Each structure stands twice: as structure tokens, then as C-alpha cells.
Amino acid sequence: MRHSRKEVTARTRKEFQRLDRLVSALKPADWGRRVPRPETKDPWTVKDALAHITYWKEHSARAFAGKKRPPELKGLEVNEINAVIYRRWRSRRPADVVGWHKRVQIDVIETLKARPDEWFGSRERGADWPGDFDGHSAWHRVRDMEAAVKPQRDDRSNSPSSE
């Protein structure tokens, strides 16, 4: 499939809006909720999932701009990078991760604006390209973040109200 700047930017913005709406609705206790992950993986929380999404958006924007990986990530495989990002952001405040998430979105949009029009459709790519800007984000938003907070919200909405 060949893409256009307009279509890629629209998908990128739409997913950011969905993610940001979820992030804005999180209660303080939600940030520490564990997301469903295999026991063999790092025990991510909702905050860790947002940091993961944000890192990979930043990574793609950096790659599209022709910039290299930071030296501490050079030569690492995806799972190793994920572990570094987990350790780096694990003890940070949710507000720090949210600020990063918002700054990276600005960088992503600026990167898309800076690419020439022909770059978007110059070759065949998968329908979900560039994945980190929407598909990857949506997958972790739904499968991790929403899954972690939905049971608690359902419990709150099903609990008897005090009269």
C-alpha cells in the first residue's frame, strides 16, 4: 500500500487522541495497576505501558528524521531496549511520563511535516505503516492499559450507590 502524509498524519493524530483521552481519565491508583503480561516479562504497570508506547513513537520519529539511536541503545535488540526503557521510567512519576508522551507527539507531527510528500508514497508499505504511531500504540492502549483499568471501572460502576 502506498501512503500519503495526510492519511498517516490523520491516523497518528487519531490514535494520539484516543490514547491521550485514556491517559487524561486515569485516576492516581490506575497508574500503578499491572497490565496483563506473561510472568516471564517485566511486570509493567499502566505507566510502564505508556512509557513503552512513547519510546517507540520517539524511536520512529528519530529514525524518520535520519537520526541515530542514543549510544546506550546502540546494538540492542527490541526486548533489550524494552527492558532499558522499563528500568529508565519505572520509578518516574506518572506526570513525567505524561509530559514525555505529549512532547513526543509534538516531535512526531513535526517529523511528519518535515518529510517530503513523495517520501510517504514512494514505495509499498504495510497498511499499518508507520506502526509505532498508531497500530503499536493502539495495541498496547487496548490490550494493556484499558485492560488493566477496565475491571476496576466496571467494579465501580456496578457497586451499589450510597443512599
Side-chain angles (χ1 to χ4, degrees):
M1 174 177 190
R2 296 193 187 266
H3 297 272
S4 70
R5 176 197 322 276
K6 182 178 179 181
E7 170 256 331
V8 169
T9 302
R11 283 190 293 115
T12 299
R13 284 189 166 128
K14 186 174 184 178
E15 171 53 26
F16 175 80
Q17 290 166 350
R18 289 176 174 159
L19 179 59
D20 200 50
R21 188 171 30 254
L22 171 64
V23 165
S24 297
L26 293 173
K27 306 292 183 227
D30 292 335
W31 290 102
R33 295 194 194 287
R34 295 276 304 271
V35 302
R37 282 175 61 82
E39 289 184 20
T40 57
K41 301 261 187 180
D42 288 325
W44 287 2
T45 63
V46 169
K47 182 185 74 173
D48 300 322
L50 180 60
H52 171 82
I53 292 166
T54 302
Y55 169 76
W56 287 103
K57 286 182 178 185
E58 181 182 66
H59 167 81
S60 287
R62 183 176 47 248
F64 292 170
K67 299 175 184 171
K68 296 183 190 270
R69 281 185 186 174
E72 68 274 14
L73 300 178
K74 210 169 210 163
L76 298 182
E77 299 293 327
V78 169
N79 287 335
E80 294 169 317
I81 293 171
N82 289 341
V84 169
I85 300 311
Y86 170 75
R87 288 190 306 270
R88 180 178 294 163
W89 289 91
R90 182 79 182 135
S91 62
R92 303 284 295 271
R93 298 175 314 125
D96 296 335
V97 181
V98 171
W100 184 40
H101 149 76
K102 290 179 184 289
R103 286 189 308 276
V104 165
Q105 179 65 12
I106 292 167
D107 292 344
V108 163
I109 297 301
E110 289 302 314
T111 299
L112 293 175
K113 285 180 183 177
R115 300 303 304 164
D117 288 333
E118 50 280 357
W119 179 78
F120 291 89
S122 63
R123 61 183 174 140
E124 291 291 326
R125 302 180 198 269
D128 64 346
W129 178 87
D132 290 327
F133 294 165
D134 75 348
H136 178 251
S137 174
W139 194 91
H140 285 290
R141 174 178 47 81
V142 173
R143 298 278 307 262
D144 289 344
M145 297 173 73
E146 289 178 0
V149 298
K150 187 175 182 340
Q152 288 72 27
R153 290 191 179 151
D154 288 348
D155 289 348
R156 288 192 297 250
S157 64
N158 292 330
S159 62
S161 60
S162 55
E163 297 182 32

